């Protein structure tokens, strides 16, 4: 193996031993010969409007859409359950302090996610999408199930939520639209993916009928 420079971030040059090329359609840009395209036309999805790359299957596209939707829904459910957890007997946060506590957790989550995002992108380009996605899903699920048993908000719950935010980036930063979709359809595919976000926010707003607002978060009415 030989040394290879990843790139420079904030004036710091990152060097790592070059890994052998992996035979995967999503690890590097795909060049498609137009003559071959006519002989072996790629699959199309979304009523034939979105054209996939020549070695991408429809199930890959729909799996991508489901994965992004599931990760977004899991994050919204966690936000709602966090309010319930904080007001439970284990943490006993008063309603008057609930908004401040939730904001304090976010203060640690967001900067950590901001600082680690460029490095996650670099690692994903080197190691591939699948290892990063599987790692993010597996470890974020393990930490999520452990959250109800955290003995205190500071520091255990804050550390857990911050790690989940970083691990979620392993999935959300995966540039699968660029990998799976042909250039002629990337704009439409990105627009369709944005519909998922709209649906998530719509479902989040709909639960106002069943919940009351507490410090910016909702808690289910008894």
């Amino acid at each position: 193996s030989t040394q290879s420079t990843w790139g420079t971030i904030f004036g710091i040059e990152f060097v790592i031993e070059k890994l052998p090329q992996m035979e995967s359609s999503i690890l590097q840009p795909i060049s498609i010969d137009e003559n071959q395209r006519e002989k072996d036309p790629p699959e199309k999805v979304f009523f034939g409007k979105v054209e996939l790359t020549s070695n991408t299957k429809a199930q890959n596209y729909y799996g991508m859409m489901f994965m992004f939707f599931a990760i977004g829904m899991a994050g919204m459910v966690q936000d709602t359950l966090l309010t319930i957890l904080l007001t439970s007997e284990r943490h006993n946060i008063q309603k008057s302090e609930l908004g401040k506590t939730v904001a304090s957790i976010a203060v640690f989550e967001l900067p950590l996610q901001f600082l680690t995002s460029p490095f996650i992108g670099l690692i994903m380009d080197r190691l591939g999408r699948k290892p990063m996605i599987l790692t993010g899903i597996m470890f974020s699920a393990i930490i999520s199930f452990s959250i109800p048993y955290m003995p205190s908000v500071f520091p255990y719950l804050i550390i857990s939520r911050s790690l989940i935010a970083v691990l979620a980036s392993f999935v959300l930063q995966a540039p699968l639209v660029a990998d799976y979709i042909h250039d002629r359809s990337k704009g439409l595919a990105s627009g369709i993916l944005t519909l998922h976000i709209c649906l998530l926010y719509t479902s989040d707003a709909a639960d106002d009928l069943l919940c009351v607002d507490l410090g910016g978060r909702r808690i289910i009415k008894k």
Side-chain angles (χ1 to χ4, degrees):
S1 61
T2 59
Q3 286 193 338
S4 173
T5 301
W6 283 18
T8 302
I9 297 181
F10 304 126
I12 304 174
E13 186 178 76
F14 294 87
V15 180
I16 193 172
E17 288 189 356
K18 188 175 181 180
L19 300 176
Q21 289 291 337
M22 301 176 65
E23 295 183 359
S24 174
S25 63
I26 62 174
L27 296 184
Q28 53 189 351
I30 300 169
S31 177
I32 302 172
D33 180 60
E34 291 299 328
N35 294 328
Q36 181 64 29
R37 178 182 298 278
E38 294 177 0
K39 297 177 182 178
D40 186 19
E43 293 190 46
K44 295 184 178 181
V45 294
F46 202 73
F47 308 106
K49 300 296 184 181
V50 176
E51 182 178 345
L52 306 180
T53 54
S54 61
N55 49 357
T56 299
K57 302 298 182 182
Q59 55 263 36
N60 298 128
Y61 173 81
Y62 291 119
M64 172 194 71
M65 299 289 282
F66 174 78
M67 180 185 70
F68 284 133
F69 184 82
I71 289 295
M73 182 62 72
M76 295 177 66
V77 169
Q78 279 195 14
D79 286 343
T80 299
L81 294 180
L82 176 63
T83 304
I84 299 175
L85 177 64
L86 292 175
T87 55
S88 66
E89 294 181 0
R90 175 179 290 272
H91 299 295
N92 197 28
I93 301 297
Q94 300 299 314
K95 294 180 180 179
S96 59
E97 296 292 322
L98 190 57
K100 179 180 178 181
T101 303
V102 172
S104 299
I105 295 174
V107 164
F108 288 91
E109 284 183 31
L110 299 179
L112 183 60
Q113 194 173 28
F114 172 80
L115 293 173
T116 57
S117 291
F119 302 100
I120 292 172
L122 285 171
I123 296 172
M124 190 170 294
D125 285 338
R126 289 292 175 172
L127 300 184
R129 317 310 191 215
K130 185 183 293 184
M132 297 292 288
I133 290 173
L134 293 179
T135 299
I137 292 175
M138 180 176 66
F139 284 101
S140 61
I142 292 173
I143 297 175
S144 295
F145 283 115
S146 69
I147 281 182
Y149 305 101
M150 294 296 167
S152 63
V153 175
F154 306 97
Y156 300 104
L157 186 56
I158 287 180
I159 293 175
S160 300
R161 292 275 303 188
S162 298
L163 288 175
I164 290 175
V166 173
L167 290 167
S169 296
F170 285 21
V171 181
L172 298 176
Q173 284 188 217
L176 297 183
V177 169
D179 294 329
Y180 288 165
I181 311 300
H182 187 265
D183 289 345
R184 287 194 287 258
S185 302
K186 285 180 180 178
L188 176 59
S190 298
I192 295 172
L193 188 60
T194 304
L195 290 177
H196 281 58
I197 301 175
C198 296
L199 289 173
L200 286 172
Y201 278 107
T202 300
S203 63
D204 189 40
D207 74 356
D208 282 335
L209 296 175
L210 301 175
C211 307
V212 293
D213 188 78
L214 289 175
R217 298 291 184 182
R218 285 175 290 278
I219 184 170
I220 299 175
K221 292 179 180 178
K222 296 183 179 180

